Amino acid sequence: MLTAVFDECDRYGHVETGGRIVGTYRRGRNLDVTVTGMIDAGPQARRAVTSFFQDGEYQEGVFREIEREHPDIEHLGTWHTHHVNGFPTLSGGDIETYRRTVNHPQHNLDFWYALLVTAKVAGPDRYRVKHYLLRRHDDKVYKIPPKLVRVAEERAIWVPGVTRGRPQAAPASSIESDSASHSRQERRAFDDQVLRQLFPNLRPFFSEAAQCLLWKGSISLLDHSSADVVVVESVSEGKTGYEAMVPRKERERFPVAARAQDETPWLAVRRLELHLNRLVAGLGN
Ligand SMILES: [Zn+2]
């Protein structure tokens, strides 16, 4: 998770950036918060040296998608960067916004977690961070002592894909060399960009269960209906390919094996689209 955050920091070395933090929590004697992923700032985010506005609508959409698959995942808080302006703590504006959020009736939880990136450092740590917690109906801002924070090694269950073709921290297998994983990320970013232009309602995900990248969403068909579609990355004999298919819940409408394979995700979806269009037009397979 921190790797994904720091990769994003590397990409925006001169303006503030950030994202939403999602995960789970347990309340026993203490509040136990587990961060399992983040949602990127989105295509309409505005970044400047001393301010940062996220694309809330985009993030809400992504969150709903995550929620569908992982109903236990909550929107825990947010993260953003100050190392670009040197401000070592949350600003007054940050705190005001967080207070409004945690007290908002639409906010599910009675706390709000904020991660702040405060400095870029040499060495493997890459960045210095601070952790904060705000509580509903409580004006205090609690700084969480570092000793209470454990950075888990395990991979986040959900990592965002890419926004507008910028490579994100798509987890790469450890056996790949740096340059191989870099070019793989670039190719994924490119594929994602093309896919979004052709099929704007598809979004990328990283599936922990399947250990692969996938896209989900819907495509429009000739008869003005839309069909849910899933695209999975499949590697066979060292070559990456893609398979587009309709999920189980669409099988009543498309009883025959509606799936298509190709070299790129967009070609796979395009093939599937043609196939589904023939079906809705009553032209058989
Ligand atoms: Zn700030």
Side-chain angles (χ1 to χ4, degrees), residues 59-96:
Q59 292 174 321
E60 186 66 23
V62 176
F63 182 73
R64 296 291 158 231
E65 289 277 325
I66 299 172
E67 208 179 26
R68 243 192 282 169
E69 195 150 292
H70 306 278
D72 56 323
I73 296 284
E74 297 278 0
H75 183 183
L76 299 174
T78 187
W79 73 275
H80 76 291
T81 57
H82 275 184
H83 67 283
V84 290
N85 51 43
F87 206 76
T89 59
L90 293 177
S91 70
D94 292 335
I95 293 170
E96 218 172 277

Short mmCIF file of all heavy atoms in Angstrom, two decimals, residues 59-96:
data_model
loop_
_atom_site.label_atom_id
_atom_site.label_comp_id
_atom_site.label_asym_id
_atom_site.label_seq_id
_atom_site.Cartn_x
_atom_site.Cartn_y
_atom_site.Cartn_z
N GLN A 59 -14.01 8.83 -7.58
CA GLN A 59 -13.63 7.97 -6.46
C GLN A 59 -14.83 7.24 -5.87
O GLN A 59 -14.72 6.08 -5.48
CB GLN A 59 -12.94 8.81 -5.39
CG GLN A 59 -11.59 9.34 -5.86
CD GLN A 59 -10.98 10.28 -4.87
OE1 GLN A 59 -11.68 11.10 -4.26
NE2 GLN A 59 -9.68 10.20 -4.70
N GLU A 60 -15.96 7.93 -5.85
CA GLU A 60 -17.19 7.32 -5.35
C GLU A 60 -17.56 6.11 -6.23
O GLU A 60 -17.90 5.04 -5.73
CB GLU A 60 -18.31 8.37 -5.38
CG GLU A 60 -19.61 7.94 -4.77
CD GLU A 60 -19.51 7.69 -3.26
OE1 GLU A 60 -18.59 8.24 -2.62
OE2 GLU A 60 -20.35 6.93 -2.76
N GLY A 61 -17.43 6.30 -7.54
CA GLY A 61 -17.73 5.21 -8.47
C GLY A 61 -16.82 4.02 -8.26
O GLY A 61 -17.26 2.88 -8.23
N VAL A 62 -15.52 4.31 -8.09
CA VAL A 62 -14.57 3.23 -7.87
C VAL A 62 -14.88 2.52 -6.55
O VAL A 62 -14.86 1.29 -6.46
CB VAL A 62 -13.11 3.74 -7.86
CG1 VAL A 62 -12.14 2.62 -7.52
CG2 VAL A 62 -12.75 4.35 -9.21
N PHE A 63 -15.21 3.32 -5.54
CA PHE A 63 -15.51 2.72 -4.23
C PHE A 63 -16.71 1.78 -4.31
O PHE A 63 -16.70 0.69 -3.75
CB PHE A 63 -15.76 3.80 -3.17
CG PHE A 63 -16.02 3.21 -1.82
CD1 PHE A 63 -14.99 2.64 -1.08
CD2 PHE A 63 -17.30 3.18 -1.30
CE1 PHE A 63 -15.24 2.06 0.15
CE2 PHE A 63 -17.56 2.59 -0.07
CZ PHE A 63 -16.53 2.03 0.66
N ARG A 64 -17.75 2.20 -5.03
CA ARG A 64 -18.94 1.34 -5.18
C ARG A 64 -18.57 0.02 -5.84
O ARG A 64 -19.11 -1.02 -5.49
CB ARG A 64 -20.02 2.04 -6.00
CG ARG A 64 -20.59 3.29 -5.36
CD ARG A 64 -21.45 2.98 -4.11
NE ARG A 64 -21.54 4.15 -3.25
CZ ARG A 64 -21.28 4.15 -1.94
NH1 ARG A 64 -20.92 3.03 -1.33
NH2 ARG A 64 -21.38 5.25 -1.23
N GLU A 65 -17.65 0.09 -6.79
CA GLU A 65 -17.19 -1.14 -7.46
C GLU A 65 -16.47 -2.05 -6.47
O GLU A 65 -16.68 -3.25 -6.46
CB GLU A 65 -16.22 -0.79 -8.60
CG GLU A 65 -16.89 -0.14 -9.79
CD GLU A 65 -17.51 -1.18 -10.72
OE1 GLU A 65 -16.92 -2.27 -10.85
OE2 GLU A 65 -18.57 -0.89 -11.30
N ILE A 66 -15.60 -1.46 -5.66
CA ILE A 66 -14.86 -2.25 -4.67
C ILE A 66 -15.84 -2.87 -3.69
O ILE A 66 -15.75 -4.04 -3.34
CB ILE A 66 -13.87 -1.35 -3.89
CG1 ILE A 66 -12.84 -0.73 -4.82
CG2 ILE A 66 -13.17 -2.16 -2.80
CD1 ILE A 66 -11.96 0.29 -4.13
N GLU A 67 -16.81 -2.06 -3.27
CA GLU A 67 -17.78 -2.49 -2.27
C GLU A 67 -18.56 -3.70 -2.74
O GLU A 67 -18.89 -4.60 -1.97
CB GLU A 67 -18.74 -1.32 -2.04
CG GLU A 67 -19.34 -1.29 -0.67
CD GLU A 67 -20.27 -0.10 -0.52
OE1 GLU A 67 -20.81 0.39 -1.54
OE2 GLU A 67 -20.46 0.34 0.62
N ARG A 68 -18.85 -3.72 -4.04
CA ARG A 68 -19.63 -4.83 -4.57
C ARG A 68 -18.90 -6.16 -4.36
O ARG A 68 -19.48 -7.16 -4.06
CB ARG A 68 -19.89 -4.60 -6.06
CG ARG A 68 -21.40 -4.45 -6.34
CD ARG A 68 -21.68 -4.52 -7.80
NE ARG A 68 -21.36 -3.27 -8.46
CZ ARG A 68 -21.32 -3.12 -9.78
NH1 ARG A 68 -21.55 -4.15 -10.56
NH2 ARG A 68 -21.04 -1.95 -10.32
N GLU A 69 -17.59 -6.09 -4.57
CA GLU A 69 -16.81 -7.31 -4.44
C GLU A 69 -16.36 -7.58 -3.01
O GLU A 69 -16.21 -8.72 -2.60
CB GLU A 69 -15.59 -7.25 -5.37
CG GLU A 69 -14.95 -8.59 -5.56
CD GLU A 69 -14.30 -8.66 -6.93
OE1 GLU A 69 -15.02 -8.65 -7.94
OE2 GLU A 69 -13.06 -8.70 -6.95
N HIS A 70 -16.12 -6.52 -2.27
CA HIS A 70 -15.64 -6.65 -0.88
C HIS A 70 -16.55 -5.82 0.01
O HIS A 70 -16.19 -4.69 0.36
CB HIS A 70 -14.20 -6.15 -0.73
CG HIS A 70 -13.24 -6.77 -1.69
ND1 HIS A 70 -12.66 -8.00 -1.47
CD2 HIS A 70 -12.76 -6.35 -2.87
CE1 HIS A 70 -11.87 -8.30 -2.47
NE2 HIS A 70 -11.90 -7.31 -3.34
N PRO A 71 -17.70 -6.36 0.41
CA PRO A 71 -18.67 -5.56 1.18
C PRO A 71 -18.14 -5.09 2.53
O PRO A 71 -18.70 -4.18 3.12
CB PRO A 71 -19.87 -6.51 1.35
CG PRO A 71 -19.49 -7.81 0.77
CD PRO A 71 -18.18 -7.71 0.09
N ASP A 72 -17.07 -5.72 3.01
CA ASP A 72 -16.54 -5.31 4.32
C ASP A 72 -15.59 -4.12 4.23
O ASP A 72 -15.19 -3.57 5.24
CB ASP A 72 -15.81 -6.50 4.98
CG ASP A 72 -14.70 -7.06 4.09
OD1 ASP A 72 -14.91 -7.09 2.84
OD2 ASP A 72 -13.64 -7.43 4.61
N ILE A 73 -15.26 -3.74 3.02
CA ILE A 73 -14.31 -2.63 2.85
C ILE A 73 -15.00 -1.28 3.10
O ILE A 73 -16.07 -1.02 2.58
CB ILE A 73 -13.71 -2.64 1.42
CG1 ILE A 73 -12.88 -3.90 1.20
CG2 ILE A 73 -12.87 -1.39 1.15
CD1 ILE A 73 -11.53 -3.92 1.84
N GLU A 74 -14.36 -0.46 3.91
CA GLU A 74 -14.90 0.86 4.22
C GLU A 74 -13.98 1.95 3.67
O GLU A 74 -12.81 1.73 3.44
CB GLU A 74 -15.00 1.05 5.75
CG GLU A 74 -15.95 0.10 6.43
CD GLU A 74 -17.40 0.55 6.34
OE1 GLU A 74 -17.68 1.63 5.74
OE2 GLU A 74 -18.25 -0.18 6.88
N HIS A 75 -14.57 3.11 3.54
CA HIS A 75 -13.80 4.28 3.14
C HIS A 75 -13.21 4.87 4.42
O HIS A 75 -13.90 5.52 5.18
CB HIS A 75 -14.77 5.23 2.44
CG HIS A 75 -14.11 6.45 1.92
ND1 HIS A 75 -14.81 7.45 1.33
CD2 HIS A 75 -12.81 6.81 1.91
CE1 HIS A 75 -13.96 8.40 0.96
NE2 HIS A 75 -12.75 8.04 1.30
N LEU A 76 -11.93 4.62 4.67
CA LEU A 76 -11.33 4.94 5.97
C LEU A 76 -10.85 6.38 6.07
O LEU A 76 -10.84 6.97 7.14
CB LEU A 76 -10.13 4.03 6.24
CG LEU A 76 -10.37 2.53 6.32
CD1 LEU A 76 -9.04 1.80 6.45
CD2 LEU A 76 -11.29 2.19 7.48
N GLY A 77 -10.40 6.92 4.95
CA GLY A 77 -9.84 8.26 5.04
C GLY A 77 -9.16 8.67 3.75
O GLY A 77 -9.55 8.25 2.67
N THR A 78 -8.10 9.42 3.91
CA THR A 78 -7.47 10.01 2.73
C THR A 78 -5.97 10.18 2.97
O THR A 78 -5.51 10.13 4.11
CB THR A 78 -8.14 11.36 2.43
OG1 THR A 78 -7.66 11.87 1.19
CG2 THR A 78 -7.84 12.38 3.50
N TRP A 79 -5.24 10.39 1.91
CA TRP A 79 -3.82 10.72 2.08
C TRP A 79 -3.48 11.84 1.11
O TRP A 79 -4.13 11.99 0.07
CB TRP A 79 -2.94 9.50 1.85
CG TRP A 79 -2.80 9.05 0.42
CD1 TRP A 79 -3.66 8.22 -0.24
CD2 TRP A 79 -1.77 9.40 -0.50
NE1 TRP A 79 -3.23 8.04 -1.53
CE2 TRP A 79 -2.07 8.75 -1.73
CE3 TRP A 79 -0.62 10.20 -0.42
CZ2 TRP A 79 -1.26 8.87 -2.86
CZ3 TRP A 79 0.18 10.32 -1.55
CH2 TRP A 79 -0.13 9.65 -2.75
N HIS A 80 -2.52 12.65 1.45
CA HIS A 80 -2.01 13.64 0.50
C HIS A 80 -0.60 14.06 0.87
O HIS A 80 -0.06 13.61 1.89
CB HIS A 80 -2.96 14.81 0.30
CG HIS A 80 -2.97 15.82 1.42
ND1 HIS A 80 -3.47 15.54 2.67
CD2 HIS A 80 -2.57 17.12 1.46
CE1 HIS A 80 -3.38 16.63 3.43
NE2 HIS A 80 -2.83 17.61 2.72
N THR A 81 0.01 14.86 0.04
CA THR A 81 1.43 15.16 0.21
C THR A 81 1.68 16.62 0.59
O THR A 81 0.99 17.52 0.13
CB THR A 81 2.21 14.89 -1.10
OG1 THR A 81 1.62 15.68 -2.15
CG2 THR A 81 2.14 13.44 -1.49
N HIS A 82 2.66 16.81 1.46
CA HIS A 82 3.13 18.16 1.81
C HIS A 82 4.63 18.32 1.57
O HIS A 82 5.17 19.38 1.76
CB HIS A 82 2.82 18.48 3.29
CG HIS A 82 1.44 19.01 3.50
ND1 HIS A 82 1.00 19.43 4.73
CD2 HIS A 82 0.41 19.20 2.65
CE1 HIS A 82 -0.25 19.85 4.63
NE2 HIS A 82 -0.64 19.71 3.37
N HIS A 83 5.28 17.22 1.18
CA HIS A 83 6.74 17.34 1.02
C HIS A 83 7.08 18.33 -0.09
O HIS A 83 8.16 18.89 -0.11
CB HIS A 83 7.36 15.97 0.72
CG HIS A 83 6.97 15.39 -0.60
ND1 HIS A 83 5.76 14.80 -0.82
CD2 HIS A 83 7.63 15.34 -1.78
CE1 HIS A 83 5.69 14.40 -2.08
NE2 HIS A 83 6.82 14.72 -2.68
N VAL A 84 6.11 18.59 -0.97
CA VAL A 84 6.38 19.52 -2.06
C VAL A 84 6.33 20.98 -1.61
O VAL A 84 6.88 21.86 -2.26
CB VAL A 84 5.37 19.33 -3.23
CG1 VAL A 84 5.64 18.01 -3.93
CG2 VAL A 84 3.93 19.40 -2.75
N ASN A 85 5.67 21.26 -0.48
CA ASN A 85 5.65 22.65 0.00
C ASN A 85 6.30 22.79 1.38
O ASN A 85 6.39 23.90 1.91
CB ASN A 85 4.20 23.20 0.03
CG ASN A 85 3.26 22.26 0.76
OD1 ASN A 85 3.60 21.74 1.82
ND2 ASN A 85 2.08 22.05 0.20
N GLY A 86 6.75 21.67 1.95
CA GLY A 86 7.51 21.73 3.19
C GLY A 86 6.67 21.91 4.44
O GLY A 86 7.21 21.98 5.54
N PHE A 87 5.36 21.96 4.29
CA PHE A 87 4.50 22.13 5.46
C PHE A 87 4.46 20.81 6.23
O PHE A 87 3.99 19.80 5.71
CB PHE A 87 3.09 22.53 5.00
CG PHE A 87 2.33 23.30 6.02
CD1 PHE A 87 2.64 24.64 6.26
CD2 PHE A 87 1.32 22.70 6.75
CE1 PHE A 87 1.94 25.36 7.22
CE2 PHE A 87 0.62 23.41 7.71
CZ PHE A 87 0.93 24.74 7.95
N PRO A 88 4.98 20.80 7.50
CA PRO A 88 5.24 19.52 8.16
C PRO A 88 4.02 18.86 8.80
O PRO A 88 4.11 17.73 9.28
CB PRO A 88 6.26 19.90 9.24
CG PRO A 88 5.94 21.33 9.56
CD PRO A 88 5.42 21.95 8.31
N THR A 89 2.89 19.57 8.88
CA THR A 89 1.71 18.97 9.51
C THR A 89 0.49 19.23 8.63
O THR A 89 0.59 19.87 7.59
CB THR A 89 1.43 19.61 10.89
OG1 THR A 89 1.24 21.01 10.69
CG2 THR A 89 2.56 19.38 11.86
N LEU A 90 -0.65 18.77 9.08
CA LEU A 90 -1.89 19.06 8.37
C LEU A 90 -2.12 20.57 8.42
O LEU A 90 -1.83 21.22 9.43
CB LEU A 90 -3.08 18.36 9.05
CG LEU A 90 -3.11 16.82 9.01
CD1 LEU A 90 -4.31 16.31 9.81
CD2 LEU A 90 -3.18 16.31 7.57
N SER A 91 -2.64 21.13 7.37
CA SER A 91 -2.93 22.56 7.36
C SER A 91 -4.30 22.80 8.00
O SER A 91 -5.09 21.87 8.18
CB SER A 91 -2.95 23.07 5.92
OG SER A 91 -4.09 22.57 5.24
N GLY A 92 -4.57 24.04 8.32
CA GLY A 92 -5.88 24.39 8.87
C GLY A 92 -6.99 23.98 7.93
O GLY A 92 -8.03 23.48 8.36
N GLY A 93 -6.74 24.18 6.65
CA GLY A 93 -7.73 23.81 5.64
C GLY A 93 -7.97 22.31 5.60
O GLY A 93 -9.11 21.85 5.48
N ASP A 94 -6.88 21.54 5.72
CA ASP A 94 -7.01 20.08 5.75
C ASP A 94 -7.92 19.66 6.91
O ASP A 94 -8.85 18.88 6.75
CB ASP A 94 -5.63 19.41 5.97
CG ASP A 94 -4.70 19.60 4.78
OD1 ASP A 94 -5.20 19.80 3.67
OD2 ASP A 94 -3.47 19.53 5.00
N ILE A 95 -7.60 20.22 8.10
CA ILE A 95 -8.33 19.81 9.30
C ILE A 95 -9.81 20.18 9.19
O ILE A 95 -10.70 19.39 9.52
CB ILE A 95 -7.69 20.46 10.55
CG1 ILE A 95 -6.29 19.85 10.76
CG2 ILE A 95 -8.55 20.25 11.79
CD1 ILE A 95 -5.45 20.56 11.81
N GLU A 96 -10.05 21.36 8.64
CA GLU A 96 -11.43 21.81 8.46
C GLU A 96 -12.21 20.84 7.56
O GLU A 96 -13.33 20.44 7.87
CB GLU A 96 -11.40 23.19 7.79
CG GLU A 96 -12.43 24.17 8.27
CD GLU A 96 -12.14 25.52 7.66
OE1 GLU A 96 -11.28 26.27 8.20
OE2 GLU A 96 -12.75 25.80 6.61
#
